[in-house]
Amino acid sequence: MPPRPTEGFDGNAIHSITLTDLDFIVKKITDESLLSNPNTPQRKALEWIKNDMINYKLEVAARVAQRYVLAILYYSTNGDEWKISTDWLNGHECNWKGVGCASDGEAGVMSLTYLDLSNNLLNGTIPSEIGYISSLTQLQLWGNNLFGSIPSSFSLLVNLRTLYLDKCQLSGDIYDKVEKLRRLQHLDLSFNKLRGKIPHGMGGISSLLDLRLSHNHFSGAFPISLASLPHLQTLLLDNNALGG
């Protein structure tokens, strides 16, 4: 069987993106079962970007991917009802409200580095596809009605410096979701419904300056590894069920 037309291409290479390219890119990010149901945010995002490509020329696979993922977030959190959604799903994604980008260097591709939709009436779940925007350095979604668990794909956000998901309705554990983020400096997951143990591996995030996990349902022993974080300035763990 011959390879797909886009197989092995450089994500930053400039060429005219076709629907075949789009299909390949999307299926690398989203499980096909979610694309077969016309009511899922993933399918809605796919149909949107197909129509969008008719009027808005895309030439870089990395931009197609980040544009698709942002559209999933929009549909997953009832974007039509956001407090502010200026320019979302129209024009260049780097101009959408709360989105910031930076050039990745030689290719001049604008990669998503900043996403701040805090306190903006988002209502729904955080899609796992967010984890595939590896260029993100800041993600702020605090103060919204976000329920369900933190996607395990967050462990792929290896360039993240700031993660604020506080004052939402998030549940589940955080095991194997944040301790791999070795560049993280600011982490706030306070005022949620998170439970389970605080991972011992978080003591390995030596860059941490600010760690706020208060007002959750964390249990178990206090992770002594946190005491060894060399640059930690703020540590808030109150209102949990932690032992000595």
Side-chain angles (χ1 to χ4, degrees):
M1 176 180 292
R4 301 190 190 206
T6 51
E7 198 157 329
F9 67 81
D10 180 354
N12 290 336
I14 296 176
H15 70 283
S16 183
I17 299 295
T18 66
L19 288 178
T20 301
D21 293 325
L22 176 63
D23 181 70
F24 179 65
I25 294 166
V26 166
K27 287 179 179 177
K28 286 182 67 176
I29 298 172
T30 297
D31 187 282
E32 288 190 48
S33 64
L34 294 173
L35 298 172
S36 61
N37 184 340
N39 297 315
T40 64
Q42 289 80 4
R43 176 64 178 274
K44 291 177 181 179
L46 176 58
E47 294 304 317
W48 167 78
I49 202 167
K50 282 182 179 179
N51 291 326
D52 183 63
M53 285 173 62
I54 297 173
N55 300 313
Y56 191 89
K57 186 178 181 181
L58 291 167
E59 297 182 325
V60 182
R63 276 203 56 215
V64 174
Q66 70 185 17
R67 197 169 173 83
Y68 166 68
V69 170
L70 287 172
I72 294 174
L73 177 64
Y74 183 88
Y75 289 116
S76 294
T77 57
N78 201 17
D80 289 344
E81 300 298 326
W82 290 357
K83 185 188 301 183
I84 303 174
S85 58
T86 307
D87 292 327
W88 271 74
L89 306 188
N90 291 291
H92 199 298
E93 67 275 12
C94 294
N95 295 325
W96 297 354
K97 174 67 177 178
V99 175
C101 299
S103 173
D104 71 350
E106 293 183 6
V109 178
M110 298 300 290
S111 297
L112 179 62
T113 59
Y114 177 88
L115 182 58
D116 183 358
L117 295 172
S118 54
N119 197 28
N120 199 39
L121 298 182
L122 276 68
N123 183 23
T125 59
I126 302 174
S128 64
E129 287 85 355
I130 287 287
Y132 292 90
I133 306 181
S134 59
S135 55
L136 269 177
T137 61
Q138 296 189 52
L139 178 57
Q140 302 188 40
L141 300 176
W142 61 268
N144 288 296
N145 186 34
L146 298 174
F147 45 87
S149 61
I150 298 172
S152 59
S153 61
F154 268 45
S155 64
L156 302 174
L157 297 174
V158 294
N159 291 305
L160 211 58
R161 268 75 166 177
T162 299
L163 178 58
Y164 291 158
L165 299 177
D166 50 300
K167 302 178 184 69
C168 295
Q169 300 292 323
L170 297 169
S171 57
D173 61 51
I174 61 172
Y175 178 74
D176 206 28
K177 297 174 182 177
V178 295
E179 66 258 42
K180 294 181 180 179
L181 307 181
R182 298 299 181 173
R183 298 183 180 183
L184 205 57
Q185 296 177 329
H186 306 280
L187 176 61
D188 193 343
L189 303 178
S190 59
F191 293 92
N192 278 294
K193 300 176 182 179
L194 299 167
R195 60 182 63 251
K197 295 181 179 180
I198 297 175
H200 177 79
M202 291 188 68
I205 310 177
S206 60
S207 56
L208 267 177
L209 301 172
D210 182 21
L211 177 59
R212 301 169 188 258
L213 302 177
S214 59
H215 294 270
N216 278 289
H217 305 297
F218 291 117
S219 58
F222 171 80
I224 195 64
S225 62
L226 297 182
S228 302
L229 289 168
H231 304 294
L232 194 64
Q233 299 172 5
T234 302
L235 176 62
L236 298 179
L237 302 175
D238 57 287
N239 286 279
N240 282 292
L242 297 172

